[in-house]
């Protein structure tokens, strides 16, 4: 739950003989320090029994209904991506879920979680498209929400605005009229440390 590097839960299910009895599942939250093979006493003490029944879901649809512990609930199913991450929404909460076998989980534990890149000093293209124009030049100071550039995608022009206040444009990337990839750098601000030094001076 929470993607490849989120919280791991072991689900062991048993189905009753009568269809209406549904499925009983023992859900165990696995600790990150465990070996992925055995359930520790501490994990076992925190186990929960969950009863599911009356599941209604068509893989071609985007809505699932199920009875959990006697309460009917609806979930929006957004489908899975190329990594097998399934996104669900219930009661306004989005959850990313990956279903693995125990063997797959043991292998996945050897993967290192990538470090999140600090992109606060950069403005990225939110979509593939064409860079139409820049509204600023290098050295300009910009305010929150100020127009920086325009990106055209699917014949619609999208104004890209600043997410920083009092920042100074350090460098413009890309060429006006050139093609852009999603998340390609459009411009970068001067580093925050440089700004602090300038303000202190």
């Amino acid at each position: 739950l929470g993607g490849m590097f989120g919280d791991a839960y072991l689900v062991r299910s048993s189905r009753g003989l009568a269809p209406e009895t549904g499925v009983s599942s023992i859900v165990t939250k696995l600790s990150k320090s465990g070996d992925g093979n055995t359930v520790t006493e501490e994990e076992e003490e925190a186990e929960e029994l969950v009863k599911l029944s009356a599941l209604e879901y068509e893989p071609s649809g985007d809505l699932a209904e199920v009875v959990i512990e006697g309460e009917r609930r609806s979930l929006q199913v957004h489908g899975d991506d190329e990594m097998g991450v399934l996104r669900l929404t219930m009661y306004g909460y989005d959850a990313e879920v990956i279903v693995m076998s125990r063997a797959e989980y043991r292998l996945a534990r050897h993967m290192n979680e990538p470090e999140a890149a600090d992109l606060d000093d950069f403005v990225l293209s939110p979509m593939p498209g064409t860079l139409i124009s820049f509204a600023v030049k290098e050295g300009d100071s910009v305010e929150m929400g100020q127009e920086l550039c325009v990106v055209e995608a699917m014949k619609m022009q999208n104004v890209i605005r600043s997410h920083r206040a009092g920042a100074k444009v350090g460098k413009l990337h890309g060429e006006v009229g050139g093609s852009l990839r999603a998340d390609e750098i459009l411009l970068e601000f001067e580093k925050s440390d440089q700004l602090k030094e300038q303000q202190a001076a």
Side-chain angles (χ1 to χ4, degrees):
L1 183 63
M4 179 67 73
F5 303 101
D7 294 327
Y9 293 83
L10 173 64
V11 180
R12 291 164 288 174
S13 301
S14 61
R15 182 181 294 275
L17 295 178
E20 60 272 12
T21 60
V23 176
S24 294
S25 299
I26 297 175
V27 181
T28 309
K29 184 175 182 179
L30 301 177
S31 67
K32 296 186 183 297
S33 60
D35 60 11
N37 288 311
T38 56
V39 176
T40 65
E41 289 186 12
E42 185 177 345
E43 291 169 341
E44 197 171 289
E45 290 175 359
E47 288 179 343
E48 291 189 28
L49 178 65
V50 180
K51 295 183 179 180
L52 310 175
S53 60
L55 173 63
E56 297 178 12
Y57 174 62
E58 289 292 335
S60 59
D62 59 1
L63 188 68
E65 293 195 359
V66 64
V67 174
I68 304 175
E69 298 293 343
E71 180 181 348
R72 177 165 290 278
R73 300 188 184 183
S74 298
L75 298 88
Q76 191 171 359
V77 183
H78 302 283
D80 54 357
D81 61 17
E82 67 278 1
M83 298 295 292
V85 179
L86 180 67
R87 194 162 66 87
L88 307 173
T89 300
M90 185 171 71
Y91 295 155
Y93 174 75
D94 289 334
E96 292 184 339
V97 179
I98 300 180
V99 180
M100 298 180 178
S101 67
R102 296 187 75 168
E104 289 172 326
Y105 171 67
R106 286 195 293 271
L107 290 173
R109 286 167 52 82
H110 295 287
M111 296 179 63
N112 294 321
E113 185 171 359
E115 294 183 8
D118 182 6
L119 299 173
D120 192 51
D121 292 324
F122 297 89
V123 176
L124 309 181
S125 176
M127 65 201 78
T130 302
L131 179 58
I132 300 300
S133 63
F134 280 110
V136 294
K137 60 182 184 296
E138 294 178 5
D140 285 356
S141 294
V142 298
E143 297 303 322
M144 180 77 75
Q146 181 176 334
E147 179 180 337
L148 301 176
C149 59
V150 175
V151 174
E152 183 178 80
M154 300 181 67
K155 299 183 179 180
M156 293 186 62
Q157 293 194 354
N158 304 275
V159 176
I160 310 301
R161 301 184 182 279
S162 174
H163 62 280
R164 297 266 298 272
K168 184 173 286 188
V169 178
K171 184 177 181 181
L172 302 179
H173 291 262
E175 294 183 7
V176 173
S179 298
L180 296 168
R181 303 183 306 273
D183 295 329
E184 186 169 340
I185 297 174
L186 297 171
L187 64 82
E188 61 181 287
F189 297 117
E190 289 188 356
K191 300 296 182 185
S192 301
D193 291 340
Q194 293 176 356
L195 289 175
K196 289 178 181 177
E197 290 174 4
Q198 290 175 2
Q199 289 171 354

